[in-house]
Each structure stands twice: as structure tokens, then as C-alpha cells.
Amino acid sequence: WRKGEGIPATANFEMTISKKQTKINNLTLSGPGFGLSGDMIIDKGGLRSANFPKISLNKNDQLTVRIRRSNADVYTITANGKYLDSRVLINKLFHTTLTDEEQNESNNVNFDLSVNIQKVKGFGGREADNLILHYNVKDGWLETLNLNTHFANSQRATIRAETKDSITSFKINSQNAGTALSFLNLYTHMINGKLVADLKRKRKEPFLGDVIVEDFVVVDEPRLKKLVSNKQLDDIDRDGRLKSEFGKIQTNRVRFPNATAKIEKGEGYLKMDGSLTGIQIGLTYNGTLFDSKNRMNVSGTFMPAFGISRIVSAIPFVGQILSNGKDSGLIGITYNLHGPSASPRIQLNPLSIVAPGIFKKVFEIRAEN
């Protein structure tokens, strides 16, 4: 934690210095929206112990924190409390690239962290209840992680992680994917859904793995509305088939039974390769969802009337000729979304409207490197 530049703060304490250690007693730190009180002991190795019966890194936080360093230079940290606003922490973990100074500070750190907080605030007005976390780090690298919490209506979310031979395996489950993604400020247009993710990471390399989300609803997705109402359709819809099919799509609320993706999540970027399957819409996608400049470049095939197409595609041989397996449709159009993630430009490929499914990959607009 660092106080922001230009933000006023005051610190008062009593300091007693001896040859072996320095004691700081009756410490009080206060500023707009933050503060703490407690005692600390510092020796030649750095912080030896700290006891903060009252700590608030953000407005309304209610936490108690204790820190002890063993002779083996392992910190044991316990944090308990009624309330924590975790949005700054989420930004640090998921949306910010560490500076060289911060990366150097984290090297060779060893600690065991135990957290028990009744209510944790995230983004989108979302809150997690009864969060319990055990987190172990050795030489600056995660060894084990176990997190349990739940959102409204007792919908559980869990994360399990363990490192072996420099490779960390993550198992992530959430009974409400929409709330979890909104809480982390990763995606805000999903309701409900069961999420299962199996990811791996080797040291500083990106997270790699599979994500599956079942039975969810996408609401008011502006990029989907752009795709359905794109003016380029008028130029390439020769017989009006697409306009007829697109007119049936209620883009303000679309249900998807299933979504799958292979992801690559590195510092400052997220790449995905997968598909969405629904009754009204089918969608494949491949490319960069966002990069360090918050820009996207995603290509794929968009297919209305997906339910009907799947029936035809299930017919042996005929389905393979007229479609491209179970995850492609008879009527489809390839697309590319590129530019700022919040409002990307859309490019459509007119050739794909008349191409049989098995040839659609030939006409897809490829994401640029």
C-alpha cells in the first residue's frame, strides 16, 4: 500500500531505538478515507512484527491485521474483519502491470496469509460474503491458494491453486459467473451462469487453459447490437435472408446454454479462442479481447438461426458439407472487431454469406498480429 501523491496524511508515533531493534508504539496514521493504529517492531532484517487492531485502507474498511516474521524470514499474516473495499486490490491484481520496482520488492518474499472477512466489495455494486482465503508464497512465487466465498443467494465461488515444478495449476468454479466477472470488473453484461476454469501458469508466463460457462444470459451488449444492426448488411444481403433472421434477434437479452474458450491471459492482455452456442445466435471468436492499450482485435463467424442450423449439421455427411460441424451454422457471416475495446469498429466479409459452412474458415477475416 502506498499513499497517493498529493493526498494529505499525518502519522504520529512513539519510537524507541536500541542496538537490536526499533519499537514504534501508539502509531496512528490518518488521511481522507484511510487510517490505521497499532504497534510495530523493526530490526536489521526489516519488519519483525506488527499489530494493527484497526486498519482502513479505503473508506468504511473494518479490519484487524497481525504480522509476525519467523527466524526463517517467513511472514505469518492474519487479516480479519467485517468489511473490505477490494476494488483497488482487484485493479492491482487483474488490470495493472507491475512496475520494475514493485516486481523487485516481491522477489524472495515468503509469507503465509490467512484472511476471514464478512463482506468484500467489488466492482459493479457486487459484494462477496464470508470470504475465507489461505495464501502461501515462497521466494516470491505462489505455492498454494484456497479461496471460498459466496455471492447473493449463497452462490459459491472457489479457487484452488498449487505449484509443482514451477507450474501453478488453478481450478476455478463459480455458481454465478455473471456476478463473479462483474465483481472483478472483467465483464459486466452477463447474468447467472456456471463457470468452470482449468488454467496453468509457469512462473511469469501467461495463464493458459480452458474456460466453460453454462446457462447464462447476455444483456445489453453494445458490440452485439453493432453486429446485428451493421449497415454493411444492407449491401451484402442479396435476398433478404439475413435481415429476416437478424430481425428475430432480441439483442437486449440473449440466452446462451454454453460458451467455451481457450484463453491466454498475460500482463495487460487477454486472448481467447472459442464459441458461443444459443438458440437465436451462434458465434465463434478468436483474437485479442484487450491489450495493454485497452484495444481489441477479434475475428470469427456470426450465425443467426443457430438452433435450426445445428439440427442440419447433425446429419452425417450432409451436415459436414452444409455446415462446419456442430458449432457452425447454415447462415453465417464472418466479422472482425478492432479498435478500442469499449467501442470497436466492425468489418464484415460479404463472401461468407453464400459460402457453405465447411468453407467458412477460408473466408474469415483474420485477426491482425
Side-chain angles (χ1 to χ4, degrees), residues 228 233-234 237 239-248 353:
V228 171
L233 291 174
D234 295 332
D237 190 13
D239 57 7
R241 282 194 306 159
L242 279 180
K243 186 173 291 185
S244 174
E245 293 296 337
F246 277 46
K248 301 174 186 178
I353 188 175

Side-chain angles (χ1 to χ4, degrees), residues 299-361:
S299 296
T301 304
F302 180 76
M303 296 155 283
F306 192 80
I308 297 174
S309 300
R310 286 195 66 179
I311 295 174
V312 176
S313 68
I315 303 174
F317 184 70
V318 174
Q320 289 296 315
I321 295 297
L322 296 180
S323 71
N324 193 17
K326 66 179 182 180
D327 286 333
S328 292
L330 290 173
I331 301 174
I333 190 165
T334 54
Y335 68 89
N336 173 248
L337 294 170
H338 59 281
S341 296
S343 57
R345 296 184 298 277
I346 297 178
Q347 180 183 356
L348 303 179
N349 188 339
L351 291 177
S352 64
I353 188 175
V354 295
I358 200 167
F359 302 118
K360 280 194 174 69
K361 288 292 182 181

Side-chain angles (χ1 to χ4, degrees), residues 110-112 135-145 161-169 203:
N110 302 280
F111 67 81
D112 291 298
Y135 183 30
N136 172 256
V137 168
K138 183 178 181 181
D139 295 329
W141 300 103
L142 182 152
E143 285 284 292
T144 60
L145 183 151
E162 184 178 7
T163 299
K164 291 183 178 180
D165 299 325
S166 300
I167 297 176
T168 306
S169 300
R203 294 305 193 192

Side-chain angles (χ1 to χ4, degrees), residues 191-210:
I191 296 177
N192 299 324
K194 294 183 179 180
L195 181 148
V196 177
D198 189 350
L199 308 177
K200 295 185 184 298
R201 186 188 193 192
K202 184 175 182 179
R203 294 305 193 192
K204 294 181 180 180
E205 295 180 9
F207 294 87
L208 302 172
D210 299 307

Side-chain angles (χ1 to χ4, degrees), residues 149-176:
T149 189
H150 64 265
F151 300 107
N153 301 319
S154 299
Q155 294 168 318
R156 293 187 61 196
T158 62
I159 301 176
R160 303 282 183 269
E162 184 178 7
T163 299
K164 291 183 178 180
D165 299 325
S166 300
I167 297 176
T168 306
S169 300
F170 294 83
K171 303 286 186 180
I172 304 171
N173 290 269
S174 177
Q175 294 177 339
N176 192 324

